[in-house]
mmCIF file of all heavy atoms in Angstrom:
data_model
loop_
_atom_site.group_PDB
_atom_site.id
_atom_site.type_symbol
_atom_site.label_atom_id
_atom_site.label_comp_id
_atom_site.label_asym_id
_atom_site.label_seq_id
_atom_site.Cartn_x
_atom_site.Cartn_y
_atom_site.Cartn_z
ATOM 1 N N ALA A 778 -7.512 -8.056 5.844
ATOM 2 C CA ALA A 778 -8.680 -8.773 5.323
ATOM 3 C C ALA A 778 -8.804 -8.534 3.821
ATOM 4 O O ALA A 778 -9.099 -9.443 3.049
ATOM 5 C CB ALA A 778 -9.942 -8.322 6.048
ATOM 6 N N LYS A 779 -8.581 -7.305 3.422
ATOM 7 C CA LYS A 779 -8.697 -7.018 1.995
ATOM 8 C C LYS A 779 -7.529 -7.619 1.212
ATOM 9 O O LYS A 779 -7.705 -8.108 0.109
ATOM 10 C CB LYS A 779 -8.758 -5.506 1.764
ATOM 11 C CG LYS A 779 -8.932 -5.154 0.294
ATOM 12 C CD LYS A 779 -9.779 -3.946 0.079
ATOM 13 C CE LYS A 779 -10.002 -3.721 -1.416
ATOM 14 N NZ LYS A 779 -10.846 -2.557 -1.680
ATOM 15 N N LEU A 780 -6.367 -7.578 1.817
ATOM 16 C CA LEU A 780 -5.205 -8.190 1.179
ATOM 17 C C LEU A 780 -5.503 -9.672 0.931
ATOM 18 O O LEU A 780 -5.224 -10.211 -0.142
ATOM 19 C CB LEU A 780 -3.999 -8.074 2.113
ATOM 20 C CG LEU A 780 -2.569 -8.108 1.572
ATOM 21 C CD1 LEU A 780 -1.614 -8.719 2.571
ATOM 22 C CD2 LEU A 780 -2.401 -8.736 0.224
ATOM 23 N N ALA A 781 -6.092 -10.320 1.938
ATOM 24 C CA ALA A 781 -6.410 -11.746 1.824
ATOM 25 C C ALA A 781 -7.404 -11.976 0.693
ATOM 26 O O ALA A 781 -7.284 -12.923 -0.081
ATOM 27 C CB ALA A 781 -6.975 -12.267 3.141
ATOM 28 N N HIS A 782 -8.379 -11.115 0.597
ATOM 29 C CA HIS A 782 -9.371 -11.254 -0.471
ATOM 30 C C HIS A 782 -8.718 -11.131 -1.844
ATOM 31 O O HIS A 782 -8.948 -11.949 -2.742
ATOM 32 C CB HIS A 782 -10.453 -10.185 -0.312
ATOM 33 C CG HIS A 782 -11.381 -10.124 -1.492
ATOM 34 N ND1 HIS A 782 -11.235 -9.200 -2.503
ATOM 35 C CD2 HIS A 782 -12.426 -10.893 -1.855
ATOM 36 C CE1 HIS A 782 -12.168 -9.406 -3.427
ATOM 37 N NE2 HIS A 782 -12.901 -10.423 -3.062
ATOM 38 N N VAL A 783 -7.919 -10.114 -1.994
ATOM 39 C CA VAL A 783 -7.234 -9.901 -3.272
ATOM 40 C C VAL A 783 -6.339 -11.091 -3.587
ATOM 41 O O VAL A 783 -6.265 -11.559 -4.726
ATOM 42 C CB VAL A 783 -6.403 -8.598 -3.238
ATOM 43 C CG1 VAL A 783 -5.548 -8.459 -4.503
ATOM 44 C CG2 VAL A 783 -7.323 -7.396 -3.104
ATOM 45 N N ASN A 784 -5.695 -11.607 -2.559
ATOM 46 C CA ASN A 784 -4.822 -12.759 -2.762
ATOM 47 C C ASN A 784 -5.639 -13.972 -3.238
ATOM 48 O O ASN A 784 -5.209 -14.712 -4.111
ATOM 49 C CB ASN A 784 -4.080 -13.082 -1.463
ATOM 50 C CG ASN A 784 -2.817 -13.869 -1.691
ATOM 51 O OD1 ASN A 784 -1.990 -13.512 -2.537
ATOM 52 N ND2 ASN A 784 -2.647 -14.961 -0.953
ATOM 53 N N GLY A 785 -6.825 -14.131 -2.645
ATOM 54 C CA GLY A 785 -7.697 -15.226 -3.045
ATOM 55 C C GLY A 785 -8.079 -15.121 -4.510
ATOM 56 O O GLY A 785 -8.111 -16.123 -5.233
ATOM 57 N N VAL A 786 -8.355 -13.921 -4.937
ATOM 58 C CA VAL A 786 -8.711 -13.715 -6.340
ATOM 59 C C VAL A 786 -7.568 -14.140 -7.251
ATOM 60 O O VAL A 786 -7.768 -14.842 -8.249
ATOM 61 C CB VAL A 786 -9.059 -12.230 -6.602
ATOM 62 C CG1 VAL A 786 -9.215 -11.972 -8.090
ATOM 63 C CG2 VAL A 786 -10.329 -11.851 -5.859
ATOM 64 N N TRP A 787 -6.348 -13.743 -6.865
ATOM 65 C CA TRP A 787 -5.206 -14.071 -7.721
ATOM 66 C C TRP A 787 -4.814 -15.531 -7.631
ATOM 67 O O TRP A 787 -4.283 -16.106 -8.585
ATOM 68 C CB TRP A 787 -4.023 -13.146 -7.401
ATOM 69 C CG TRP A 787 -4.252 -11.792 -8.005
ATOM 70 C CD1 TRP A 787 -4.644 -10.647 -7.360
ATOM 71 C CD2 TRP A 787 -4.183 -11.454 -9.397
ATOM 72 N NE1 TRP A 787 -4.816 -9.624 -8.253
ATOM 73 C CE2 TRP A 787 -4.534 -10.082 -9.505
ATOM 74 C CE3 TRP A 787 -3.855 -12.161 -10.540
ATOM 75 C CZ2 TRP A 787 -4.566 -9.425 -10.740
ATOM 76 C CZ3 TRP A 787 -3.890 -11.508 -11.772
ATOM 77 C CH2 TRP A 787 -4.243 -10.151 -11.856
ATOM 78 N N ILE A 788 -5.085 -16.159 -6.486
ATOM 79 C CA ILE A 788 -4.820 -17.602 -6.383
ATOM 80 C C ILE A 788 -5.747 -18.346 -7.337
ATOM 81 O O ILE A 788 -5.336 -19.246 -8.056
ATOM 82 C CB ILE A 788 -5.022 -18.095 -4.930
ATOM 83 C CG1 ILE A 788 -3.820 -17.694 -4.073
ATOM 84 C CG2 ILE A 788 -5.201 -19.619 -4.890
ATOM 85 C CD1 ILE A 788 -3.919 -18.113 -2.623
ATOM 86 N N ARG A 789 -6.999 -17.958 -7.352
ATOM 87 C CA ARG A 789 -7.962 -18.627 -8.229
ATOM 88 C C ARG A 789 -7.588 -18.438 -9.692
ATOM 89 O O ARG A 789 -7.886 -19.283 -10.535
ATOM 90 C CB ARG A 789 -9.381 -18.090 -7.970
ATOM 91 C CG ARG A 789 -10.092 -18.812 -6.836
ATOM 92 C CD ARG A 789 -11.388 -18.138 -6.474
ATOM 93 N NE ARG A 789 -11.221 -17.341 -5.261
ATOM 94 C CZ ARG A 789 -11.806 -16.177 -5.031
ATOM 95 N NH1 ARG A 789 -12.626 -15.662 -5.923
ATOM 96 N NH2 ARG A 789 -11.587 -15.540 -3.911
#
Side-chain angles (χ1 to χ4, degrees):
Chain A
K779 182 145 185 179
L780 204 211
H782 171 262
V783 173
N784 202 49
V786 171
W787 283 103
I788 283 179
R789 274 172 258 144

